Amino acid sequence: GAGVSQTPSNKVTEKGKYVELRCDPISGHTALYWYRQSLGQGPEFLIYFQGTGAADDSGLPNDRFFAVRPEGSVSTLKIQRTERGDSAVYLCASSPRTGVAEQYFGPGTRLTVT
Amino acid sequence: QKEVEQDPGPLSVPEGAIVSLNCTYSNSAFQYFMWYRQYSRKGPELLMYTYSSGNKEDGRFTAQVDKSSKYISLFIRDSQPSDSATYLCAMSRTGANNLFFGTGTRLTVIP
């Protein structure tokens, strides 16, 4: 079956601009996660959704970052007033239900802020 | 100190060698342990998943967890050039939903 998909695969934006990154989880997976991976590092947790609600957003670095999942499937990560330090690969993962440790990742969106 | 430590390598081995990859961790609450493989410019792919201590084998891959030492390992037997990738360990606490990752070890298997 289809895995997690993310669009766009690459995004280049200027400092100060607004960006949206989209994640389409595996069909039927109720839990959705966003991570950020900087060069040479492992992914770092940003936010977790169970259904439509953000159950844990403790990893969001500041209030410029926001994510939604209005219908419990597709999620959008939104970054306002982008900074060069936001440049990274943004990964989305899903799992079939909460409390399940296995998470299945998408290919990521490579964000470059110039 | 990071919660999960992993030697970034790089590690180069000849084809057919046994590869040993390791992570240490500091949080005794971690109960779930995973290994992911990540090819260049791709997302992490789940390889192995274990709960608590013990061994788990899947084909050429064996995962070991030693909770008393806070040490986990992944062994790859008969390594192949297609195994060349970055290997990430990850772990989580019971009831938690986010994974804590190591930095990844970059492996190259030379034909």
Side-chain angles (χ1 to χ4, degrees):
Chain A
V4 177
S5 62
Q6 291 186 246
T7 54
S9 56
N10 284 282
K11 177 71 177 179
V12 180
T13 191
E14 292 180 350
K15 178 176 178 295
K17 298 290 189 183
Y18 168 82
V19 296
E20 290 189 352
L21 312 179
R22 176 187 166 110
C23 172
D24 203 335
I26 294 171
S27 177
H29 281 196
T30 58
L32 185 147
Y33 313 80
W34 284 97
Y35 290 80
R36 178 166 70 174
Q37 187 174 24
S38 300
L39 192 63
Q41 301 296 315
E44 292 183 323
F45 170 76
L46 295 175
I47 187 169
Y48 154 65
F49 287 89
Q50 178 57 38
T52 60
D56 181 355
D57 64 358
S58 62
L60 294 178
N62 52 60
D63 61 6
R64 295 187 298 106
F65 289 75
F66 188 71
V68 296
R69 194 186 185 199
E71 297 178 358
S73 179
V74 170
S75 176
T76 304
L77 178 66
K78 308 180 181 197
I79 310 174
Q80 298 177 321
R81 303 183 305 279
T82 52
E83 300 177 356
R84 293 193 179 88
D86 298 336
S87 296
V89 176
Y90 289 82
L91 294 163
C92 176
S94 69
S95 61
R97 57 193 179 278
T98 188
V100 172
E102 311 104 288
Q103 297 179 15
Y104 299 89
F105 283 81
T109 293
R110 183 173 299 272
L111 176 66
T112 303
V113 182
T114 61
Chain B
Q1 182 188 5
K2 296 182 73 172
E3 291 199 70
V4 181
E5 299 281 354
Q6 183 175 12
D7 186 339
L11 179 63
S12 292
V13 300
E15 183 175 355
I18 297 174
V19 176
S20 172
L21 304 166
N22 311 292
C23 288
T24 59
Y25 62 95
S26 57
N27 190 337
S28 58
F30 287 143
Q31 295 279 356
Y32 299 90
F33 304 91
M34 283 136 282
W35 286 94
Y36 284 83
R37 177 174 62 195
Q38 187 173 28
Y39 292 113
S40 181
R41 294 186 170 261
K42 302 290 186 183
E45 171 195 6
L46 182 62
L47 273 180
M48 301 284 287
Y49 159 63
T50 55
Y51 171 71
S52 196
S53 284
N55 295 356
K56 186 173 185 178
E57 187 172 324
D58 184 0
R60 297 185 295 111
F61 298 90
T62 299
Q64 289 185 351
V65 175
D66 181 348
K67 292 191 69 181
S68 63
S69 301
K70 297 190 178 70
Y71 187 89
I72 70 171
S73 301
L74 177 71
F75 297 95
I76 308 174
R77 289 183 299 281
D78 187 25
S79 56
Q80 303 295 308
S82 58
D83 295 330
S84 299
T86 295
Y87 289 80
L88 296 152
C89 63
M91 45 200 81
S92 71
R93 302 183 297 269
T94 300
N97 296 285
N98 52 310
L99 298 179
F100 291 84
F101 282 85
T103 55
T105 298
R106 188 170 179 179
L107 171 69
T108 301
V109 181
I110 303 165

